[in-house]
Amino acid sequence: MKIFETVEQNLKARGYCVRTFATAEEAAAYLDSAIDGKTVGFGGSVTLDAMGLYNLLSRHNTVAWHWKSDDPNAARKSAQAAQIYLASANGLAETGEILNIDGAGNRVASTLFGHEKVYFVIGRNKLAPTCEEALWRARNIAGPQNARRLGKKTPCAVKGDRCYDCKSPDRICRGLVTLWGPMMGMETEVILVDQDLGM
Ligand code: SF4
């Protein structure tokens, strides 16, 4: 797939397993066949939600997702202990760095340690030429859009134009993780989808 040629090459050179799909439906079907009989945790993700993965995987796996639970904190802990973890990214550099900004920290922590395997499911809109531009995207596009989606009282949510590096108690950007490569001892697969997905 032309759009992913460079990033796919660079992700593979960094040690990731990479698969590309033309559509979210095809990517969801692949994940549905690859993950079976497992405990599965989800990080907060509009991408995963839009792909309907929670319902698909719940049919033949035990899935924990705080977005779908009456007890979000218990779901976060179950997700943290799961064999498999799924997340998206706030920014993906063509040079191969994967960036995520988090508020509670469960999502970024789970992409670093504790699972048999982690999947990153990333739409083409997350792609940026360099690590610096991917960070810019994570801070100035993903952050404000997520703050707005969550109804936060932050300047970015009100104006929706950029990050203000706010000191608001409602600030959702509390930590940044940049992955230079898959963490040791944990298989990591990157699923690239040639559609706009998530924020
Ligand atoms: S740091 Fe504050 S202003 Fe910047 S994106 Fe996050 S919540 Fe919005």
Side-chain angles (χ1 to χ4, degrees):
M1 218 160 287
K2 189 91 182 137
I3 185 176
F4 294 134
E5 252 173 36
T6 305
V7 72
E8 187 177 3
Q9 212 171 37
N10 285 327
L11 285 166
K12 282 180 177 169
R14 287 172 185 266
Y16 291 104
C17 172
V18 185
R19 283 190 166 77
T20 61
F21 296 91
T23 66
E25 288 73 22
E26 288 169 43
Y30 164 70
L31 289 164
D32 194 31
S33 66
I35 304 169
D36 181 45
K38 299 283 189 182
T39 53
V40 182
F42 277 43
S45 165
V46 173
T47 295
L48 301 180
D49 208 15
M51 291 170 71
L53 281 167
Y54 179 81
N55 287 340
L56 275 178
L57 294 179
S58 292
R59 289 179 197 151
H60 52 104
N61 298 276
T62 304
V63 182
W65 195 5
H66 60 288
W67 281 18
K68 308 288 183 187
S69 172
D70 295 334
D71 188 345
N73 272 334
R76 280 191 185 97
K77 284 182 183 154
S78 299
Q80 204 163 19
Q83 293 164 298
I84 307 293
Y85 197 81
L86 280 83
S88 186
N90 296 135
L92 169 65
E94 286 202 55
T95 42
E97 295 90 349
I98 300 171
L99 284 82
N100 268 310
I101 290 172
D102 209 354
N106 57 301
R107 183 170 57 104
V108 293
S110 270
T111 63
L112 294 173
F113 184 75
H115 308 283
E116 285 175 19
K117 182 162 183 173
V118 170
Y119 290 91
F120 286 99
V121 187
I122 306 175
R124 64 185 176 196
N125 51 316
K126 307 290 181 72
L127 203 54
T130 65
C131 189
E132 290 70 25
E133 285 162 288
L135 175 59
W136 187 92
R137 185 205 183 276
R139 296 194 73 180
N140 291 286
I141 296 177
Q145 286 187 6
N146 279 315
R148 185 168 267 192
R149 174 178 61 80
L150 294 165
K152 298 295 183 187
K153 292 181 181 63
T154 58
C156 67
V158 175
K159 297 181 188 170
D161 54 350
R162 66 176 173 90
C163 172
Y164 290 81
D165 196 17
C166 69
K167 304 296 178 284
S168 161
D170 260 7
R171 176 173 172 137
I172 60 167
C173 312
R174 305 276 175 145
L176 163 72
V177 164
T178 301
L179 278 183
W180 288 316
M183 302 306 287
M184 289 189 282
M186 200 167 68
E187 205 182 334
T188 308
E189 186 167 326
V190 182
I191 307 291
L192 301 172
V193 184
D194 192 9
Q195 284 184 341
D196 290 349
L197 284 168
M199 295 171 164

